[in-house]
Amino acid sequence: MKKGILAECLLLAVSAGVSFYQEQSRASRESSSASGGSASVSKGNADSKVLFVEDDYIKWVDFTVSYEALCQAYEWDVETHGTEHEIDWVELLAYAAAKTGGEFGKDALKTIDKAAEKLSEGEATMEELTEDLKYYDYYREAYDAVIGGLVGEYWEQTPDAGGSAGRTEGQTADSAGSGAAGQGQTGGAEREGYVERYGLKGYFPLARGFDYTHYDDFGVGRSYGYQRKHLGHDMMGLVGTPVMAIESGVVEALGWNQYGGWRIGIRSFDGKRYYYYAHLRQNYPYAEGLQKGSVVTAGDVIG
């Protein structure tokens, strides 16, 4: 169940990281133009998923990490948290990508385990392992933009505190219907009625118990309005299904447009992910009190 939520959250987060690189690319081009300089463009290796590297920023990186690799790196991260040699799952995945050219077959899984064993035993540092890997920094930045905010510390309400064990502080009672998928060590801090956890802190976007179907059409062509690719994942639920915030952040967009109908746009606190929740219920699309600038917590009912 937890791995299933991990896979769904990561699939949805792929599209969230795209805007970060589009904005970064535009900003760099404008800076280059303003300074009167010309940016040099070099192609990556033929086997690399880094398609173009222009000066010191990434123009495009394909996020092709497999489900097995995600779970494997995540487990190493959680198991080593709080130890002398902690492993960051994003860094571990970026290392594997830099070694394999972005391919995540069986060789990549072996690469992940081999590197993680060395790191966890203190036999090597990530800096030492990646010293000669030209594209590690690019993969690291790209992968962090996509999944960097989904694993970390969070507070979980204890069952004897009068709430659901799956609810984190700041979330409404309704949001507990989905529950965070985090699983990990208990931290040293204490606060009444809560216990500190470490693990997956992203939420599934639909409340538990509500049926839905989904269609993985990420990247499929769209022609309505203009030619473009669909950078999202369609999940069709019944009218009235509570929609949850996958990650905490700030509401940047709220209202109707011709492409997404009634929709909500939420930017993660680090500014790297933008979640777009579209096609919400007519006449009652949003949670009461939600407006531009509102701060939402992962798991809050937003629409």
Side-chain angles (χ1 to χ4, degrees), residues 125-206:
T125 65
M126 186 58 74
E127 289 74 16
E128 293 171 342
L129 292 178
T130 60
E131 184 177 5
D132 298 322
L133 295 178
K134 181 178 181 181
Y135 293 116
Y136 167 75
D137 289 337
Y138 299 121
Y139 279 113
R140 173 68 178 82
E141 185 177 354
Y143 287 7
D144 184 61
V146 179
I147 60 176
L150 295 180
V151 172
E153 296 177 345
Y154 63 95
W155 291 94
E156 182 179 76
Q157 190 173 28
T158 55
D160 57 358
S164 170
R167 193 190 317 162
T168 58
E169 183 183 17
Q171 294 167 354
T172 65
D174 288 339
S175 73
S178 180
Q183 181 72 22
Q185 293 90 345
T186 301
E190 295 182 3
R191 56 197 317 173
E192 186 177 357
Y194 290 87
V195 61
E196 189 178 10
R197 299 289 190 188
Y198 180 89
L200 180 64
K201 58 182 183 178
Y203 268 71
F204 191 69
L206 301 180

Side-chain angles (χ1 to χ4, degrees), residues 240-295:
T241 299
V243 177
M244 331 281 280
I246 297 172
E247 184 181 351
S248 302
V250 179
V251 176
E252 280 194 1
L254 199 72
W256 185 91
N257 69 20
Q258 61 177 322
Y259 304 109
W262 294 102
R263 91 290 190 217
I264 303 173
I266 299 176
R267 178 80 60 182
S268 61
F269 289 134
D270 62 10
K272 295 182 179 181
R273 286 164 299 284
Y274 181 80
Y275 294 92
Y276 183 74
Y277 306 83
H279 309 295
L280 301 176
R281 180 177 180 176
Q282 185 177 11
N283 300 324
Y284 191 49
Y286 315 123
E288 293 183 9
L290 199 67
Q291 58 187 351
K292 287 185 180 180
S294 293
V295 174

Side-chain angles (χ1 to χ4, degrees), residues 6 69-78 89 151 181-183 199-200:
L6 171 62
L70 288 168
C71 292
Q72 196 166 305
Y74 170 75
E75 288 170 0
W76 276 110
D77 188 312
V78 172
W89 75 315
V151 172
Q183 181 72 22
L200 180 64

Side-chain angles (χ1 to χ4, degrees), residues 7-20:
E8 290 284 1
C9 286
L10 295 172
L11 181 58
L12 290 161
V14 169
S15 60
V18 173
S19 62
F20 170 71

